[in-house]
Amino acid sequence: MKTTLITGGASGIGLALAKRLVADGQAVAVTGRDEARLAQVPGVLRLPGDATDYDAVQDAVVATVKEYGRLDHVVANAGFSTHGPLTETAPDRLRDMVLTNVLGPALLVKAALPALRETRGRIVLVGSVAGFVHSPGNMYSVTKWAVTALAENTRMLVTGDGVGVTLIAPGRVDTSFWPDGRPAGPLLSAENIADAIAWALAQPAGVDVNTVVVRPTGQPT
């Protein structure tokens, strides 16, 4: 039975993926800072913790391997946006976003690699279309450009070990990501992105899908 550890698994894309993998008969562990939300995720190993705290991330990896005996996949999904331009955003909020969106995935890779090398597993980093296009003063975009780079740097680091690395870069998705409600225009569902991640994880040995950009039809950028 394959085992997957998902950061930020208590809502949005992470929650949709956890439900999808559990329904497929996989073992799933999820992390999150909101313990109340985390407690509502069914059928998984729940691991409260901060994706920017290396000890917490390492503990989550250890707990997953202890519970299920192996680790086949990790999905770096935890992240958020401040939404406003950097000129109008508090420095502390910018710092938290950069740490969560950039340092968090890097710490997960670092903590999980020993276990993934044993299983010749896979790493999925959830990026964004914003990691390929620019917009004025958009620090969220900066963090996702960094995730795009991290994916390729990680692939180069681990491909010789038989570990796969996939960047999933969604366009607009209908989740709680949007603080002011659902934006106008076409949107994907969290389940659409969960399906894309599950597809990447299910590739046969020897197949390494590296970059998947998923937009809703009609999103121009």
Side-chain angles (χ1 to χ4, degrees):
M1 181 169 60
K2 298 290 187 181
T3 298
T4 302
L5 171 63
I6 305 165
T7 65
S11 62
I13 293 168
L15 176 59
L17 178 62
K19 290 180 176 178
R20 163 67 191 269
L21 296 180
V22 168
D24 288 345
Q26 296 194 35
V28 178
V30 299
T31 74
R33 288 185 288 190
D34 188 330
E35 294 191 33
R37 273 188 174 181
L38 202 63
Q40 303 303 310
V41 184
V44 302
L45 177 64
R46 305 175 190 91
L47 301 167
D50 187 333
T52 70
D53 179 340
Y54 184 65
D55 288 342
V57 175
Q58 194 168 45
D59 287 349
V61 171
V62 170
T64 302
V65 174
K66 181 178 180 180
E67 179 73 15
Y68 298 120
R70 59 187 293 134
L71 180 62
D72 299 280
H73 313 135
V74 294
V75 180
N77 169 71
F80 72 94
S81 175
T82 58
H83 292 284
L86 67 90
T87 51
E88 298 176 15
T89 305
D92 285 350
R93 287 287 288 165
L94 293 174
R95 179 181 183 276
D96 288 346
M97 180 175 64
V98 171
L99 290 176
T100 301
N101 294 6
V102 182
L103 180 64
L107 295 181
L108 180 63
V109 169
K110 179 178 174 64
L113 265 181
L116 294 175
R117 284 180 169 129
E118 288 186 13
T119 59
R120 298 175 73 84
R122 296 184 186 274
I123 299 164
V124 171
L125 305 180
V126 178
S128 173
V129 166
F132 294 90
V133 298
H134 293 287
S135 56
N138 186 343
M139 279 298 293
Y140 174 75
S141 177
V142 171
T143 68
K144 292 304 184 177
W145 276 85
V147 174
T148 299
L150 177 63
E152 178 60 10
N153 277 267
T154 301
R155 185 197 68 80
M156 296 172 70
L157 176 68
V158 304
T159 189
D161 300 319
V163 176
V165 179
T166 302
L167 173 72
I168 301 287
R172 290 183 170 188
V173 183
D174 189 4
T175 67
S176 58
F177 174 87
W178 308 100
D180 299 321
R182 187 182 190 275
L187 296 172
L188 297 164
S189 68
E191 288 75 19
N192 293 148
I193 305 306
D195 288 345
I197 296 171
W199 171 79
L201 295 178
Q203 292 303 299
V207 176
D208 190 11
V209 177
N210 300 133
T211 303
V212 179
V213 179
V214 188
R215 290 180 176 91
T217 302
Q219 180 178 331
T221 58

